[in-house]
Amino acid sequence: MVSFVCNYCQTTLKKPKLDQHLQRCYNATFSCIDCNTDFIGDTYRQHTSCMTEEQKYKSKMATKNVKKPAPTAVVPKSTVDQLKEKQSQAAASNVAPIEKASKKRKHEKSDEAAASTKGEKKPKDKSAKGDSTSGWDDLALPTTPAGALARAIAYICENEPGVAFGDLKKKCVKMVTKHPKCLFSKSDVKDEFAAAVLAALSEGNVKLTKC
């Protein structure tokens, strides 16, 4: 006969005595000892069949007797195989940069051919003649926005006499803010531009056009 255990008071009981125990132990829930199934209230009454001890024992033994697959043995590589592998890797690493450089040259040639057929203009060299900003990055930059603008104004006016006021402002702000040693914000440079131009005009070193 199936036996149960009370999960509240841990009393082991046969099925016919469960109703009587349930009246005394109000919080009782029962578990079947053979199949470990839990029952709440009087649902144990529907539990009329259960596995036998022999079936339970056989299922545990079957689980224990399952053999795990043996690990695959790792065969170490011989010294000759290791040397061959290293040689092949070295050859591949030498070939890759050569192929990459060859592809890059082909790509550059195709771009030049396409540019010549379409009439595209190549970008101007910053060091070409007539570029007022060539050599600017090599000059020392003053530590204040006003000083940096004064030097930029003098530099542009020396290379482009009679430059327009609007062009002068754009070029000065760009030259100062793009300088490698610039520590000022763009807004600070713009705010100091008018004062720097007035100072340069008062000294008579700058000649501007209205446009």
Side-chain angles (χ1 to χ4, degrees), residues 15-88:
K15 188 175 182 181
K17 295 184 179 181
L18 293 180
D19 292 339
Q20 184 180 1
H21 184 79
L22 185 61
Q23 293 177 0
R24 295 197 306 268
C25 190
Y26 298 104
N27 296 323
T29 59
F30 303 101
S31 298
C32 178
I33 294 177
D34 294 331
C35 64
N36 295 324
T37 304
D38 294 329
F39 302 95
I40 299 174
D42 58 356
T43 55
Y44 58 82
R45 295 175 182 174
Q46 302 174 1
H47 189 57
T48 57
S49 61
C50 186
M51 67 172 65
T52 62
E53 288 293 332
E54 184 179 359
Q55 291 173 337
K56 189 175 180 181
Y57 178 76
K58 285 183 178 179
S59 64
K60 289 183 179 180
M61 291 299 295
T63 304
K64 290 182 180 180
N65 292 332
V66 174
K67 294 183 179 180
K68 295 182 181 179
T72 305
V74 179
V75 180
K77 294 182 180 180
S78 63
T79 306
V80 177
D81 293 337
Q82 291 179 4
L83 290 174
K84 288 182 179 180
E85 186 176 353
K86 288 183 179 180
Q87 289 177 354
S88 61

Side-chain angles (χ1 to χ4, degrees), residues 13 23 27 34 56 64 74 81 84 102 107 109 111 120 131 134-135 144-145 169 172 175 177 184 189 202 208-209:
L13 304 161
Q23 293 177 0
N27 296 323
D34 294 331
K56 189 175 180 181
K64 290 182 180 180
V74 179
D81 293 337
K84 288 182 179 180
S102 178
H107 184 67
K109 288 182 179 179
D111 289 344
E120 295 179 353
D131 186 1
S134 61
T144 61
K169 182 177 181 180
C172 283
M175 286 172 61
T177 55
F184 327 119
V189 176
S202 63
L208 303 175
T209 59

